[in-house]
């Protein structure tokens, strides 16, 4: 059964600090690994998509890494801003299906 | 470029009543998805359309849920009769067909359903 596990479940950091969110996935066959940001009351918005041959991908202050051997991914947020407060969802994609994690709820405090 | 549109944004109904949600995908997107997102969970795929054909509806509770995508553009999702456990956000997403761009899914704002 395909699974995506995220940690921590929630996180509070001070504005300006960095943080790293973790994702472990079991998806077979595997096509790509995605990170989405979901603001409260909004739909998810794509941050990065990485295939198994990509180790890292950046989108502004967001940097995702992928280790296809250990089936782990991380999302690093640099110099956090209040607007980064949201749920961050890791998604493992097979050739025709997506497996969503439960998300990490991030709160950036002033 | 206009995004995925959904309506209504909020709906409150009593159990055993029926409800319908509407989705208008991004123009030209062939693939349309309906997801159910229960509070504190990730989205769960209910049904996937390719143009006006169903690709995957394996997780759609067909005894109470139905969906259609007439003419391969707009889509409606219906629940009849609703149960308390149907309280969730219903997300619609769309994706272009073919090539790497088809990896990307664009989500609408969702419809928050509360069943009392």
């Amino acid at each position: 059964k395909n699974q995506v596990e995220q940690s921590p479940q929630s996180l509070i950091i001070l504005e300006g600090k960095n943080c790293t969110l973790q994702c472990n996935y079991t998806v077979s066959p595997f096509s790509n690994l995605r990170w989405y940001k979901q603001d409260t009351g909004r739909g998810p918005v794509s941050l990065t998509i990485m295939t198994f041959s990509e180790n890292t991908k950046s989108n502004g202050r967001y940097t995702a890494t992928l280790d296809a051997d250990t089936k782990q991914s991380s999302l690093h947020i640099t110099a956090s801003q209040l607007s980064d407060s949201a749920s961050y969802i890791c998604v493992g994609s097979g050739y025709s299906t997506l497996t969503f994690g439960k998300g990490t709820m991030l709160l950036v405090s002033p | 470029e206009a995004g995925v549109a959904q309506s209504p944004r909020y709906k409150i109904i009593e159990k055993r009543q029926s409800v319908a949600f509407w989705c208008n995908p991004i123009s030209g997107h062939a693939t349309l998805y309906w997801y159910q997102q229960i509070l504190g969970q990730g989205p769960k795929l209910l049904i996937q359309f390719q143009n006006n054909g169903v690709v995957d509806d394996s997780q759609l509770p067909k005894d109470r849920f139905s969906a259609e995508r007439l003419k391969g553009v707009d889509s409606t999702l219906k629940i009849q009769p609703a149960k308390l456990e149907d309280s969730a956000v219903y997300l619609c997403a769309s994706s272009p067909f073919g090539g790497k761009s088809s990896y990307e899914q664009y989500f609408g704002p969702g419809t928050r359903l509360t069943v009392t």
Side-chain angles (χ1 to χ4, degrees), chain B residues 24-37:
Chain B
N24 181 238
I26 293 173
S27 177
H29 282 196
T31 308
L32 186 147
Y33 311 81
W34 282 103
Y35 290 90
Q36 180 192 58
Q37 186 175 24

Side-chain angles (χ1 to χ4, degrees), chain B residues 2 5 17 21 28 49 52 74 78 88-89 91 116:
Chain B
Q17 286 186 324
F21 312 128
F49 292 95
N52 60 351
D74 293 6
K78 297 179 182 178
V89 174
L91 294 165
T116 63

Side-chain angles (χ1 to χ4, degrees), chain A residues 11-96:
Chain A
L11 181 64
I12 301 174
I13 62 172
L14 291 174
E15 185 180 11
K17 298 296 186 182
N18 305 334
C19 68
T20 301
L21 313 181
Q22 302 291 343
C23 173
N24 295 333
Y25 65 92
T26 304
V27 175
S28 181
F30 176 74
S31 176
N32 59 75
L33 192 290
R34 315 175 182 202
W35 284 94
Y36 285 90
K37 178 187 179 188
Q38 186 173 23
D39 292 314
T40 300
R42 308 291 291 271
V45 174
S46 179
L47 293 176
T48 64
I49 299 177
M50 292 181 291
T51 64
F52 63 88
S53 62
E54 297 177 291
N55 299 119
T56 184
K57 182 166 283 189
S58 292
N59 179 356
R61 295 179 295 103
Y62 301 101
T63 300
T65 65
L66 176 64
D67 186 332
D69 292 331
T70 63
K71 296 182 171 55
Q72 294 180 327
S73 178
S74 65
L75 180 69
H76 186 76
I77 304 174
T78 304
S80 61
Q81 300 176 359
L82 297 179
S83 59
D84 292 331
S85 296
S87 177
Y88 292 83
I89 303 174
C90 176
V91 184
S93 176
Y95 295 137
S96 60

